[in-house]
Every structure is written in C-alpha cells, then in structure tokens.
Amino acid sequence: MKSASEIRLDFKRAARYADKIERLAESLRKESGYYETASFWEGEAASVWFGKAASLGKGIETSAEELEYAAESLRRAAKRIYDAEMRAYNLAKERKYYE
C-alpha cells in the first residue's frame, strides 16, 4: 500500500503533467496566428494560401481544444484516484492494517 506522501506525490505529478499539456495547447494557439497573414497579399496564390492557412489554423485550434480537454480529464481522474487512495489509506490506518 502506498504511503500518504506517495499518494500526494502521484497527484502532484499528474497535475504538473496536466499543466504541461495546457501549456502545449496555449503554444499551439499562438502558432496558429502565423497563418492569418493573407491580408497584405493579393492574387490567385493569395487566395489559395489563405484557404490552406485557414484550414490549417482550424486544425491547430481543434488540436489545442483536444489537448485542453485531455488536461482537464487528467486532472479529474487524478483527483478521483487521489481521493480513493487517501480514503483507502485512512481506512487501513484506522483498522491498523497499515503501520
């Protein structure tokens, strides 16, 4: 059985990983701004570029949203696991199964 400090450490590790995923999503969003440069460009090539850039930007935005959802899901799962493990730890401690 894990100790209380190991349970807390695992929870903090999961939270840090979720933070890292959110920073990645934020970074992706910043990068998607580079694809909105067609306003100064004219002609047929510009419209082709703008269409492809808009499509790429939407894909990047979708990926960023999915990463944020994954980070939030990780946080919720980590909290549920933390609560369950702490409950089990405290029950075992009460019953003196755990020294």
Side-chain angles (χ1 to χ4, degrees):
M1 176 176 244
K2 289 182 184 180
S3 68
S5 60
E6 288 172 318
I7 294 168
R8 282 190 292 274
L9 183 64
D10 286 347
F11 178 70
K12 287 178 183 178
R13 188 177 303 132
R16 281 193 307 269
Y17 191 64
D19 290 343
K20 193 174 189 178
I21 292 170
E22 282 188 337
R23 284 192 304 274
L24 179 58
E26 182 180 331
S27 177
L28 276 175
R29 281 206 168 92
K30 287 178 185 175
E31 293 298 321
S32 71
Y34 291 115
Y35 301 104
E36 299 170 0
T37 58
S39 62
F40 61 86
W41 198 2
E42 295 178 9
E44 187 178 331
S47 64
V48 170
W49 162 255
F50 185 69
K52 291 185 181 217
S55 175
L56 182 58
K58 286 179 187 177
I60 291 172
E61 179 61 29
T62 299
S63 295
E65 288 172 3
E66 289 172 353
L67 284 170
E68 288 172 341
Y69 179 77
E72 186 56 35
S73 295
L74 176 59
R75 280 195 182 88
R76 283 192 308 269
K79 178 69 169 129
R80 282 193 307 268
I81 291 167
Y82 171 81
D83 290 344
E85 286 183 335
M86 287 304 284
R87 231 179 351 265
Y89 172 81
N90 288 328
L91 283 172
K93 192 175 172 184
E94 277 179 23
R95 294 180 183 165
K96 300 185 184 195
Y97 293 142
Y98 189 78
E99 299 287 326

